[in-house]
Amino acid sequence: MKQWADFNKLKKLPENIKATVAFTVAGFAISGINYLTMPIVSGIISTSEYGLISLYNSWYEIIAIIASLTLIKPDITNIGLYSYSDNRWKYLSSVLGLMAVSTTVLTVIYILFAQPVSEFFKLPHSLMKLMLISCYALPATAVWKYKQRYEYRYVSTFLVLVGFYTYL
C-alpha cells in the first residue's frame, strides 16, 4: 500500500522535475551501457582495430563541429526554441538545413579529394563515408532530442534514447 502512496507523490510532481529526473536516469543508463560494453568490445577486437576506432572517434568529433556549425549545442537550441516558440519546426528545419549544407560542402570536398583526405585522416574510405553519413544523421536526432526536452516530452524520449542505446 505504501508503494502506491509513493507513486502518487511522484505523479503530483511538476513536469519539469519529472523531465529532469527522466533525462538524468536516461543519461546514467546510457553511460552505464557504454561503461559495461567497453571492456567487452576492447577484449574482442585487436589493438590496431581499437586504435582505428579511437582515431575515427577523434576525427569525427572535429568534423562534426565543422559540419554542424556548432548549432546543435543544447544552450543554442534552447535559445532558438524559446525565441521562435510560435514556430519551432520552422526554426529547427532552418538549423538542420544549414547543417545539411555544411555537411554537403564537406562531402563535395571529400569526393573531389578522396585519396589525399583519407591519407591525411589515416582512415579508409569506408570510414570516411560513414563519418559523413553520421554528420547528416546524428544532428537530426540531437535536434529532435533537444526539442523533446524543451517541451518536457520525457517519456517517449527516455524510451527512444535508452532503447536505441540498448539495441546497439
Side-chain angles (χ1 to χ4, degrees), residues 77 80-81 87-97 99 143-144 146-147:
T77 305
L81 289 171
N87 203 341
R88 291 185 183 125
W89 282 117
K90 192 178 266 187
Y91 165 74
L92 292 176
S93 67
S94 299
V95 168
L96 286 172
M99 289 187 282
V143 165
W144 175 82
Y146 294 142
K147 182 179 184 294

Side-chain angles (χ1 to χ4, degrees), residues 2 12-13 20-21 42 45 51 53 66 69 77 84 87 90 94 100 108 120 122 124 159 162 167:
K2 178 157 174 33
K12 292 178 183 177
L13 288 173
T20 301
V21 170
S42 63
I45 62 175
I53 291 169
I66 298 166
L69 304 171
T77 305
Y84 298 98
N87 203 341
K90 192 178 266 187
S94 299
V108 168
F120 176 78
K122 294 182 176 56
L159 294 173
V162 174
Y167 179 73

Side-chain angles (χ1 to χ4, degrees), residues 47-110:
T47 305
S48 63
E49 290 170 329
Y50 185 78
L52 188 63
I53 291 169
S54 297
L55 182 64
Y56 172 86
N57 287 334
S58 299
W59 278 118
Y60 176 76
E61 292 297 323
I62 294 168
I63 296 300
I65 290 170
I66 298 166
S68 70
L69 304 171
T70 65
L71 292 173
I72 58 169
K73 299 288 184 192
D75 49 349
I76 294 171
T77 305
N78 283 337
I79 290 169
L81 289 171
Y82 178 76
S83 299
Y84 298 98
S85 59
D86 56 329
N87 203 341
R88 291 185 183 125
W89 282 117
K90 192 178 266 187
Y91 165 74
L92 292 176
S93 67
S94 299
V95 168
L96 286 172
L98 281 170
M99 289 187 282
V101 167
S102 176
T103 303
T104 302
V105 168
L106 290 176
T107 302
V108 168
I109 291 170
Y110 176 72

Side-chain angles (χ1 to χ4, degrees), residues 138-153:
L138 293 180
T141 57
V143 165
W144 175 82
K145 178 179 72 173
Y146 294 142
K147 182 179 184 294
Q148 299 304 306
R149 279 185 178 182
Y150 186 83
E151 295 176 348
Y152 299 126
R153 294 187 181 151

Side-chain angles (χ1 to χ4, degrees), residues 16-36:
N16 59 347
I17 301 293
K18 290 183 204 175
T20 301
V21 170
F23 288 121
T24 302
V25 170
F28 280 123
I30 291 166
S31 296
I33 291 166
N34 291 339
Y35 184 74
L36 292 173

